[in-house]
């Protein structure tokens, strides 16, 4: 047997390729910031911007025209609008909810509009939930905030809400709250396996996070693998429509495990630090950015992700020849 026979020409390699990348499988995460006149660069994520509402609409339109499958929106409030319980996240006129409404108005059902459902962008302490008297993240008090936030986001026009705080029971309360408010058609993208990762570093700049300390009491320990299967079982039982593994590249084993067992679509999130690592090496001329982008996205798909959240979504769509 000569395996090289199937590698001889580009056409034969294309014919036998087991994994294909398509813009429709990519989801673009975007940031919208309150109180800025012009889009702001994010130093640790070259090429990614904190948008004004207007530039956000333009970027979303461009991505949709390139064939990207969905948009995931993160809000960055003014510092003075942050408080202990993240009030801005449930204010219908808060930066994230206003942006969702505007995007849904402009784009309708042409794309899948997704919202990050978490408090960390909106709290003055930077944690993903509310704190108890001892300064610990209070799981069940946080669930009440998530339930309220889900309904406000659905009302603003999100097709999909993405609870990302890793509170126990978050999918169940979000599903129940959406149903009770008449939003049966709004889907839940569960952050199922979310590890306490150094790779979120640049994101913290992107959302102007005030976090002191870490999230190790609610995000998963990188040392653990089977724990993700327990998280998966819970999320499916609680009604998750889609499940996600995050970060992506350092956790391909977890992704592969989850994909083998999940009977719903599986997503993976190529996070800010994964983006920054490629950008930093490419800026030095140490590797070929475009090849690295396509190779990492292909690997994440090969490991079992049907969908990939990536800051490269529009760029990759362009490389793949997308566009109408
Ligand atoms: C929490 C949230 C985070 C990211 C997405 N949702 C930050 C965190 O958990 O600290 C990180 C995404 C990235 O690094 O690209 N709202």
């Amino acid at each position: 047997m000569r395996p090289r026979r199937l590698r001889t020409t580009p056409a034969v390699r294309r014919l036998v390729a087991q994994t294909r990348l398509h813009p429709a499988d990519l989801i673009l995460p975007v940031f919208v910031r309150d109180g800025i006149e012009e889009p702001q660069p994010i130093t640790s994520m070259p090429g990614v911007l904190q948008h004004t509402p207007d530039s956000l609409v333009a970027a979303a339109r461009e991505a949709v025209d390139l064939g990207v499958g969905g948009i995931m929106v993160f809000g960055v409030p003014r510092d003075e609008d942050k408080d202990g319980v993240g009030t801005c996240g449930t204010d219908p006129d808060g930066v994230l909810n206003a942006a969702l409404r505007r995007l849904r108005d402009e784009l309708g059902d042409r794309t899948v509009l997704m919202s990050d459902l978490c408090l960390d962008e909106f709290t003055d302490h930077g944690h993903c939930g509310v704190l108890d008297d001892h300064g610990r993240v209070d799981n069940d008090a946080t669930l009440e905030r998530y339930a309220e936030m889900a309904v406000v986001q659905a009302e603003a026009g999100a097709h999909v809400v993405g609870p990302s705080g890793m509170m126990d029971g978050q999918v169940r309360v979000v599903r129940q709250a959406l149903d009770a408010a008449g939003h049966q058609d709004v889907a839940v993208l569960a952050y199922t396996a979310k590890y306490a990762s150094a790779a979120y570093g640049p994101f913290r700049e992107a959302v102007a996070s005030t976090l002191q300390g870490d999230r190790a009491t609610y995000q998963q320990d990188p040392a653990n693998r089977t724990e993700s299967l327990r998280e998966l079982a819970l999320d499916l039982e609680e009604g998750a429509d889609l499940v996600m593994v995050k970060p992506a590249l350092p956790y391909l084993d977890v992704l592969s495990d989850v994909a083998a067992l999940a009977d719903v679509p599986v997503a993976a999130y190529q996070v800010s630090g994964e983006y920054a690592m490629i950008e930093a090496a490419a800026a030095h001329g140490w590797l070929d950015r475009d090849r690295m982008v396509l190779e990492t996205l292909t690997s994440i798909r090969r490991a079992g992700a049907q969908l990939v959240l990536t800051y490269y979504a529009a760029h990759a769509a362009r490389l793949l020849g997308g566009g109408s």
Side-chain angles (χ1 to χ4, degrees):
M1 187 56 194
R2 288 178 177 268
R4 285 185 56 192
R5 268 197 285 268
L6 296 183
R7 298 174 196 148
T8 48
T9 68
V12 84
R13 292 195 292 273
R14 187 182 60 207
L15 181 71
V16 301
Q18 287 186 288
T19 309
R20 295 186 199 279
L21 274 182
H22 192 279
D25 300 325
L26 305 178
I27 296 163
L28 179 68
V30 291
F31 302 101
V32 57
R33 178 169 168 189
D34 201 6
I36 53 171
E37 301 291 329
E38 296 294 326
Q40 302 292 314
I42 300 163
T43 317
S44 52
M45 301 176 74
V48 179
L49 299 170
Q50 291 174 328
H51 284 288
T52 66
D54 287 339
S55 73
L56 177 70
V57 170
R61 267 190 200 289
E62 182 190 35
V64 172
D65 289 342
L66 284 162
V68 165
I71 311 279
M72 168 66 80
V73 190
F74 294 91
V76 188
R78 297 169 196 250
D79 277 348
E80 59 266 33
D81 289 338
K82 298 184 181 187
D83 61 19
V85 296
T87 303
C88 183
T90 45
D91 176 352
D93 298 320
V95 59
L96 174 57
N97 300 313
L100 290 169
R101 197 170 299 111
R102 174 92 190 271
L103 285 170
R104 184 65 186 264
D105 277 353
E106 303 268 354
L107 293 165
D109 291 335
R110 278 187 69 211
T111 190
V112 181
L113 189 58
M114 308 184 174
S115 54
D116 184 55
L117 202 173
C118 195
L119 290 175
D120 64 317
E121 288 96 77
F122 305 105
T123 52
D124 51 13
H125 46 72
H127 276 293
C128 294
V130 299
L131 306 182
D132 67 16
D133 295 344
H134 305 283
R136 293 177 299 219
V137 174
D138 184 332
N139 194 87
D140 294 5
T142 300
L143 293 184
E144 290 176 29
R145 298 287 297 129
Y146 288 179
E148 194 184 335
M149 199 170 178
V151 173
V152 175
Q153 293 182 345
E155 252 137 48
H159 294 97
V160 176
V161 298
S164 65
M166 292 303 280
M167 296 302 127
D168 292 333
Q170 62 184 8
V171 173
R172 188 188 313 277
V173 296
V174 164
R175 182 72 268 155
Q176 284 173 348
L178 290 171
D179 289 349
H183 294 293
Q184 283 84 359
D185 288 341
V186 171
V188 178
L189 162 61
Y191 282 60
T192 290
K194 179 173 179 180
Y195 285 87
S197 175
Y200 308 145
F203 177 93
R204 307 249 165 107
E205 182 197 342
V207 300
S209 172
T210 48
L211 180 70
Q212 306 284 319
D214 61 46
R215 307 197 195 287
T217 68
Y218 42 107
Q219 298 181 349
Q220 291 170 250
D221 184 338
N224 296 340
R225 184 165 174 173
T226 50
E227 184 183 25
S228 290
L229 300 182
R230 193 154 63 233
E231 290 280 4
L232 173 68
L234 287 167
D235 283 352
L236 292 175
E237 183 205 304
E238 291 179 25
D241 299 286
L242 308 114
V243 295
M244 181 152 77
V245 174
K246 173 183 177 181
L249 213 57
Y251 297 90
L252 292 186
D253 55 337
V254 174
L255 177 56
S256 168
D257 289 351
V258 167
L261 291 175
D263 57 1
V264 299
V266 175
Y269 196 147
Q270 182 178 50
V271 301
S272 58
E274 297 179 72
Y275 178 91
M277 285 193 279
I278 295 175
E279 286 302 305
H284 281 283
W286 292 342
L287 49 71
D288 179 325
R289 171 192 282 113
D290 291 351
R291 282 189 59 200
M292 201 66 210
V293 168
L294 295 179
E295 182 179 334
T296 53
L297 294 176
T298 300
S299 299
I300 294 163
R301 294 263 297 111
R302 189 193 63 234
Q306 181 179 336
L307 305 169
V308 187
L309 283 88
T310 172
Y311 301 97
Y312 287 119
H315 182 65
R318 229 175 267 117
L319 294 177
L320 295 168
S324 48

